[in-house]
Amino acid sequence: EVQLVESGGGLVQPGGSLRLSCAVSGFPFSSYEMSWVRQAPGKGLRWVAHISDSGRSIDYADSVKGRATISRDNAKNSLYLQMTSLRAEDTAVYYCARGHILTGRVFDYWGQGTLVTVSS
Amino acid sequence: SYELTQPPSVSVSPGQTARITCSADTLPEQYAYWYQQKPGQAPVLVIYKDTERPSRIPERFSGSSSGTTVTLTIRGVQAEDEADYYCQSTDRSGTSVIFGGGTKLAVL
């Protein structure tokens, strides 16, 4: 069974930093592209970042470019998102999502999400 | 940047057909994908590459494409289909992922 489990969310002060993790199981992690997608309370989905299966190719949404770092450890079956200089508008549920094997920019499995709240 | 435009809401009665549209100038060049999201749950992929349906998704879900508009059709709508539906595509380079604003499907 494919499973993605996010952790690391919580309350952070504006300007602070956070590292989110996503532990995966049930599929060959090193063969799949991965992304982070977020959803502000009561709002729609917004893509945050993408990483290739090897980790050598990375892309970011303009809204987080320069403040976010996506990475992966294929030996540990884990995906990460480091966020710095956090702002109130970064408050959201952050999902890790598996890229479809045919095209990595569509997501066939999602975790349940971890809530990040940026507030003083 | 570009946007995918969806209607905010669609209402249907049980057993009827629901159609949710998504429009953008890039859709003739890039595939569209559809997700269903129920309250408090993660999104679920229901249509990929405009018209393909994952094996675990019921046959009543289908997708179509015409020019700059893609459509998610749900035939014989059931109460359990009440959810938010999001279309998704990529920019012309295929790099940035874009989601539509979402459509709330109400089953009255």
Side-chain angles (χ1 to χ4, degrees):
Chain A
E1 180 190 6
V2 172
Q3 287 194 324
L4 299 87
V5 180
E6 302 93 338
S7 61
L11 177 63
V12 187
Q13 290 193 338
S17 301
L18 205 60
R19 189 194 197 207
L20 306 180
S21 300
C22 174
V24 313
S25 59
F27 65 97
F29 180 63
S30 61
S31 297
Y32 286 80
E33 301 176 44
M34 299 291 295
S35 279
W36 288 95
V37 177
R38 67 185 182 183
Q39 186 170 34
K43 303 297 185 181
L45 301 169
R46 292 290 181 268
W47 170 74
V48 174
H50 165 272
I51 188 167
S52 65
D53 51 1
S54 66
R56 285 195 289 267
S57 176
I58 287 172
D59 297 293
Y60 297 99
D62 288 343
S63 58
V64 301
K65 203 169 290 185
R67 302 187 300 120
T69 302
I70 187 173
S71 62
R72 65 191 296 161
D73 186 335
N74 286 345
K76 294 183 177 180
N77 286 348
S78 294
L79 176 72
Y80 307 101
L81 182 69
Q82 176 81 36
M83 293 281 293
T84 62
S85 302
L86 284 162
R87 310 163 180 165
E89 53 265 38
D90 295 316
T91 294
V93 174
Y94 284 73
Y95 295 100
C96 67
R98 189 182 84 167
H100 193 282
I101 193 67
L102 295 179
T103 170
R105 312 280 171 150
V106 60
F107 314 117
D108 58 357
Y109 284 92
W110 299 60
Q112 283 305 302
T114 186
L115 176 63
V116 173
T117 303
V118 183
S119 174
S120 55
Chain B
S1 63
Y2 77 98
E3 296 180 349
L4 297 171
T5 300
Q6 299 180 234
S9 63
V10 168
S11 299
V12 295
S13 299
Q16 290 190 329
T17 296
R19 293 181 178 84
I20 301 172
T21 58
C22 174
S23 299
D25 288 343
T26 55
L27 288 178
E29 307 163 33
Q30 300 291 347
Y31 284 119
Y33 309 90
W34 290 95
Y35 300 88
Q36 175 194 68
Q37 186 180 33
K38 297 181 179 179
Q41 297 184 20
V44 173
L45 179 68
V46 295
I47 295 290
Y48 65 100
K49 293 176 70 175
D50 291 349
T51 61
E52 300 296 316
R53 187 183 68 251
S55 57
R56 64 185 184 274
I57 301 302
E59 291 185 6
R60 64 180 182 274
F61 288 84
S62 64
S64 61
S65 176
S66 179
T68 60
T69 299
V70 294
T71 302
L72 172 68
T73 301
I74 310 172
R75 292 183 166 79
V77 168
Q78 301 180 6
E80 67 194 49
D81 299 330
E82 188 163 276
D84 293 327
Y85 290 85
Y86 294 90
C87 64
Q88 180 236 305
S89 187
T90 59
D91 64 2
R92 283 192 167 88
S93 71
T95 299
S96 291
V97 173
I98 309 296
F99 288 95
T103 298
K104 183 175 295 294
L105 175 66
V107 181
L108 304 175

